[in-house]
Amino acid sequence: MSKLGGGKSTRAPFVNLGAFGKHPGWDDHIDDLGLESPQLINAKRIFYVQGMSGNIDSGAWDHLSEEDQLKQFHHVFAWRLGDDLIVGRLWSSSDGKGRKRYPMIVAAHCGGLPMQWAFARILPMLEKIEGQCLAATTASSVRSIIDRSREELRSMIAGANGGRDGSDSSLPNPLATLATRPEMGAELRGLLAILYQVERELAAFRPHTRSDRSIQIAPRHLRVPACGDTPEEAMLLWLRFMLSQLDPSTPLCVIDPLDEQFVDLIVGEPTPTQLFCVRASAHKIPLTTEIPYNLDAEFISRSKGLIASAQ
C-alpha cells in the first residue's frame, strides 16, 4: 500500500478536480462539477453541506462580534485520508440572486503523489482558478475553467516522472523545524504547549493506543501559528508534524486562512463544531501556543529530550 507523505509511492498517481458552492452563474448552489470520486463527494458533504450550512443555518457565525469574526471566506485547506489527499480553496462568493452567505469551493483529490509535490503544484492552480471564476459570469464559463484546469493538472503529473519526484521523507524532521521557529517563544514554551495538548487531548489518536479502530472518536481541534512563509510550507509542515505524532490512519485536516498568521488543525472527521473555526478570529479561538498550561518538570524534560533527538 502506498503511503502519501512518506516515501515514494507504488500507487499510480492521479488527480481529480471539482467545484461546488455558490457562483453568480447559478441562481442557487452550483451543480456538482467534476465530483468524480467518493472522496470529493464526501468532501462536499463534510465541508459544505454539513460544515458551512451547519454554521450558517444555526446562526453560529452571525452571533460572532466584529472582533471575533473573520471578515470573509479566504482559505486553503488540505484533508488527508489515509493514502488520499484533498487540497482545496474557498472564497466569498454569491449566487445569481445576490445571496452572499456561502463560499465557492474548488478541490483537487489526488493519490500516489508526495504531499510536497501536490501542494507546490495544486495550490497555485487553485489560486488561478479562483481568479478566473471571479471574472466569469456564466455557468458554462466556470465549467470550462474546471475542465481545462483538471487536464492541466493531469498533464503536470504525466510530465514530471508521473508525479513521483520529491519524496516527503527527504524533508527535515518537522519537530526539529518547529523548534527553530520564533513563534514557539522563549524556552520553546509554545511547542511544549502543543506537545502537551497532543499528549493530553489526542491520546486516542496516538499509535498503539487501542486495537479497535472502528470505535468512533470525537474529532479535536487545535489552532497553531502558521510557521511557514507560504501556505504550502505551513500546511506541509503541520501535516507532517501530526503524522509524526498520530496513527497514520487518522484523518487530518489543516485549514489556512490566508489573511491570518495561524492555521487550524482538525484531527478526526470534521463536524460543524470543529469547522466553526473557519470564520472565528484568534480573539475568539486562541492559539494553543498561548494557552498557559501548567507543565510539570517531568513533562518538560521528556519533551525537550524528544525535541533534542529530532534535532
Side-chain angles (χ1 to χ4, degrees), residues 8-233:
K8 291 189 176 182
S9 173
T10 58
R11 187 184 190 188
F14 68 88
V15 63
N16 298 309
L17 181 70
F20 45 91
K22 291 272 191 171
H23 185 276
W26 286 261
D27 283 341
D28 205 337
H29 301 280
I30 295 173
D31 300 330
D32 289 351
L33 299 179
L35 303 190
E36 300 174 354
S37 67
Q39 290 84 351
L40 281 176
I41 294 171
N42 198 35
K44 178 185 176 181
R45 176 183 66 85
I46 296 284
F47 289 95
Y48 190 71
V49 176
Q50 296 179 1
M52 301 294 112
S53 294
N55 283 288
I56 291 170
D57 294 344
S58 69
W61 289 330
D62 292 336
H63 295 153
L64 290 171
S65 68
E66 183 175 351
E67 186 179 28
D68 288 343
Q69 184 177 117
L70 299 183
K71 297 186 183 303
Q72 62 180 342
F73 294 107
H74 190 211
H75 301 67
V76 291
F77 67 90
W79 190 26
R80 185 187 185 276
L81 298 159
D83 293 337
D84 297 278
L85 182 69
I86 293 175
V87 183
R89 187 176 179 103
L90 60 149
W91 59 90
S92 293
S93 188
S94 68
D95 58 26
K97 297 182 179 179
R99 293 172 293 196
K100 300 180 178 180
R101 303 188 74 193
Y102 286 83
M104 181 170 178
I105 303 176
V106 60
H109 166 219
C110 60
L113 294 163
M115 290 191 296
Q116 182 179 204
W117 193 97
F119 287 143
R121 287 155 181 82
I122 293 175
L123 285 175
M125 177 64 72
L126 300 185
E127 183 178 9
K128 177 181 170 184
I129 292 171
E130 176 186 352
Q132 294 174 337
C133 287
L134 287 171
T137 58
T138 66
S140 61
S141 297
V142 174
R143 290 191 186 96
S144 295
I145 291 166
I146 299 302
D147 290 343
R148 185 170 60 249
S149 300
R150 183 186 307 110
E151 292 310 309
E152 189 172 343
L153 282 172
R154 288 173 176 171
S155 69
M156 288 181 188
I157 293 176
N161 191 25
R164 299 182 188 280
D165 296 332
S167 170
D168 298 323
S169 60
S170 63
L171 295 169
N173 186 299
L175 183 57
T177 300
L178 288 172
T180 68
R181 297 294 305 193
E183 298 93 329
M184 293 304 159
E187 299 295 320
L188 297 178
R189 188 72 183 185
L191 184 53
L192 292 174
I194 291 169
L195 290 171
Y196 181 73
Q197 191 164 22
V198 168
E199 183 174 296
R200 189 185 69 169
E201 299 292 339
L202 306 182
F205 297 99
R206 305 269 277 177
H208 315 303
T209 53
R210 60 187 177 89
S211 58
D212 186 1
R213 291 280 162 185
S214 66
I215 298 175
Q216 186 68 30
I217 304 175
R220 294 287 189 269
H221 168 261
L222 296 81
R223 175 164 283 181
V224 295
C227 292
D229 297 328
T230 65
E232 294 95 324
E233 289 181 11

